[in-house]
Amino acid sequence: MTMDWKHMLRIRIKESFPRFYEILGNILPHTEIVKFFTRVIMETMDYRETNNISRNDFIDMLRELKKHPDKLGDINLTDNLIASQAFAFFIAGFETSSTTISHALYELALNQNVQDKLREEIDEVYTKHSGDLIHDNIKAMDYLDKVFKGTLFEENIK
């Protein structure tokens, strides 16, 4: 997430002179990160389209918007715009998830009895499903859900 001078210049031009940036943006080379993320998102969307895969997630929402751009009004839905929306969604989710997990681990470290009870539930589910901790098995852990909800509640109070 560190920025170099080229990236800062690009942002300043885009903020200050948006119409000029539209012309210049096609001339200035994109960074490797932008190219990578755009490629990954577009390849994922193409793969799902080709193989008729639907996961009811953010990528599917972007695919739907790409199929029906009239839902956006006068916004031109380019590959870069799609990738930027996915990137913003990724960053927002990463930050909130990592913060919540950090706070939950901190609270677990302070509360040995909660930690032990949670460990028992995880061990029980792990054994019951032969070590297969897929999303549905994790989602069924009631105490884990309570720990995270408690963490979110505590952070809202502070």
Side-chain angles (χ1 to χ4, degrees):
M1 293 307 211
T2 58
M3 294 202 195
D4 60 358
W5 68 271
K6 291 178 191 175
H7 188 69
M8 286 300 294
L9 179 62
R10 182 183 277 276
I11 289 172
R12 295 292 179 232
I13 293 171
K14 186 174 186 176
E15 289 173 349
S16 303
F17 310 102
R19 294 201 188 272
F20 179 65
Y21 179 80
E22 285 180 28
I23 298 166
L24 190 62
N26 294 324
I27 299 168
L28 293 173
H30 288 287
T31 65
E32 293 303 313
I33 296 168
V34 172
K35 289 178 188 175
F36 170 78
F37 207 81
T38 303
R39 182 180 53 81
V40 167
I41 295 299
M42 300 316 333
E43 285 178 3
T44 301
M45 290 174 65
D46 291 342
Y47 179 81
R48 288 187 185 185
E49 193 69 35
T50 303
N51 296 294
N52 199 25
I53 297 171
S54 179
R55 294 191 177 159
N56 296 322
D57 58 5
F58 191 69
I59 296 291
D60 284 347
M61 289 171 48
L62 291 173
R63 284 177 50 209
E64 189 64 28
L65 285 174
K66 190 172 181 180
K67 285 181 192 175
H68 304 287
D70 53 309
K71 293 181 180 181
L72 295 173
D74 61 347
I75 297 173
N76 184 19
L77 192 63
T78 64
D79 289 351
N80 283 343
L81 181 59
I82 290 171
S84 67
Q85 291 302 310
F87 187 71
F89 189 77
F90 172 76
I91 293 299
F94 179 79
E95 174 62 26
T96 55
S97 299
S98 63
T99 301
T100 302
I101 290 169
S102 296
H103 289 292
L105 291 173
Y106 175 74
E107 292 297 328
L108 285 169
L110 295 177
N111 298 291
Q112 186 66 46
N113 59 335
V114 175
Q115 187 182 137
D116 291 339
K117 190 172 179 179
L118 180 59
R119 184 181 298 114
E120 285 176 23
E121 181 183 55
I122 293 169
D123 287 344
E124 181 182 309
V125 170
Y126 185 81
T127 303
K128 181 179 176 182
H129 296 285
S130 303
D132 196 14
L133 288 178
I134 61 172
H135 181 263
D136 292 335
N137 299 342
I138 293 170
K139 196 169 173 120
M141 293 185 200
D142 292 328
Y143 197 68
L144 178 64
D145 185 54
K146 290 176 183 175
V147 167
F148 276 106
K149 284 182 179 172
T151 301
L152 292 170
F153 180 71
E154 286 292 322
E155 287 308 308
N156 286 331
I157 292 173
K158 293 178 183 176

